[in-house]
Amino acid sequence: MGNQFSKEQRSQPVQNSNQGVDLYEKINKLEETLNQFMQMSMFNNRSTKSSIKNLEIQMVQLAKQMAKRPTNNFRSNTEKNPKE
């Protein structure tokens, strides 16, 4: 078995100058994409916190309204069952 590459192939550089530039551009693009993702995530997090806060306020308002309602009265008109 042994090594599949000849001595000449192993002595060649792993990347040429174009590959180095391409790699640099890819890294820059990846960093830019990651920064955009992080900014969007932070924005979404703030938006979610704001929405939750608004829901908490609405729940408190509903609880106050429910506490003011009489508990022993039904607001509907009842009809006698005709089968009785």
Side-chain angles (χ1 to χ4, degrees):
M1 301 261 177
N3 193 346
Q4 296 178 356
F5 298 105
S6 69
K7 225 178 193 183
E8 295 157 2
Q9 288 173 324
R10 283 183 278 160
S11 65
Q12 292 176 351
V14 176
Q15 60 184 351
N16 63 30
S17 61
N18 287 342
Q19 287 175 331
V21 172
D22 290 343
L23 181 60
Y24 180 76
E25 290 174 1
K26 288 178 182 180
I27 290 172
N28 282 340
K29 181 64 177 167
L30 182 61
E31 287 176 347
E32 180 183 329
T33 303
L34 180 59
N35 284 332
Q36 290 173 353
F37 174 77
M38 290 187 322
Q39 288 174 357
M40 187 58 77
S41 293
M42 288 186 291
F43 172 79
N44 288 340
N45 187 22
R46 286 190 298 268
S47 177
T48 301
K49 284 182 180 181
S50 176
S51 296
I52 290 172
K53 184 66 177 171
N54 289 336
L55 287 171
E56 288 173 349
I57 291 168
Q58 290 175 359
M59 291 301 293
V60 168
Q61 292 171 344
L62 283 172
K64 287 178 181 177
Q65 287 178 0
M66 294 298 290
K68 291 179 183 177
R69 292 178 113 188
T71 57
N72 55 357
N73 294 338
F74 292 105
R75 292 189 164 229
S76 63
N77 293 330
T78 58
E79 296 179 13
K80 186 174 180 175
N81 188 349
K83 294 182 180 178
E84 290 181 1

